[in-house]
Amino acid sequence: MPRRSYDQYCAAARALDAVGDRWTLLIVRELLAGPRRYTDLHADLPGVSTDVLASRLKDMEREGLATRRRLPPPAPASVYELTPRGTALLPVLTALADWGMPALAERRPTDALRAHWFAIPLARHLAGLGAGVVEVRMDEGVFHVRTDGGEPLYGDGPAGRPDARLTLDADICIAVAAGSLPLDHAIRDGRAKLETLPHGAPHGAPHGAPHGASAGASAGVRAEAPK
């Protein structure tokens, strides 16, 4: 069945033709973390059916937003990843997250949560920590964010060699991401903990002084192979 179109000679309408369907932008959110296999996407998009996810991924391939590639042996699997056109949607996701942040004032009982969903709205608030990789630890999980402008922007799970480690809870993370609580104030007041790590220190290495991040480590991304 052909996709529906607004049939309007308008840039916004053309954009919505490509990304306006339900789930599409949330798939982009997941793929901004790097290549992902289908099963991982399904696991981190609670509520989407397998049929809808498969359909949206096909639509994204057709629109030039994502590609599917086979991993080299010995991994007999495929991953989905964003094209440059898809990656260019990062500012759109950032703006949507900023606009939607006030709606997180109260968590509903039915709300699913993955820690890495905070990565996009939090990322720019980590820029002042210096170029490198910041590992963010929350009760809900761990993710890491690149602050040097490289790609992918973030990754799910611990970083291989983080430059700094930030520990905070979800409420403080939301306040920082919303701009109502400056990160340096949260650290100074003890509501967040920032540890610098020896340059290129592997995950789990001894911690350093709680201030600023050193530059230069590259982010480890979760790019697991699909089944």
Side-chain angles (χ1 to χ4, degrees), residues 27 31 38 41 52-62 66 80:
I27 296 171
L31 293 180
Y38 178 89
L41 285 171
V52 169
L53 179 56
S55 176
R56 293 295 179 270
L57 287 167
K58 289 180 180 177
D59 291 342
M60 290 174 66
E61 289 185 82
R62 184 174 62 247
Y80 291 91

Side-chain angles (χ1 to χ4, degrees), residues 165-177:
R165 184 171 293 129
L166 179 67
T167 303
L168 70 176
D169 64 28
D171 289 340
I172 298 302
C173 185
I174 290 169
V176 171

Side-chain angles (χ1 to χ4, degrees), residues 131-134 161-165 195-200 212-218:
V133 178
V134 180
R161 292 183 176 272
D163 294 293
R165 184 171 293 129
E195 305 160 282
T196 58
L197 303 174
H199 181 67
S214 61
S218 60

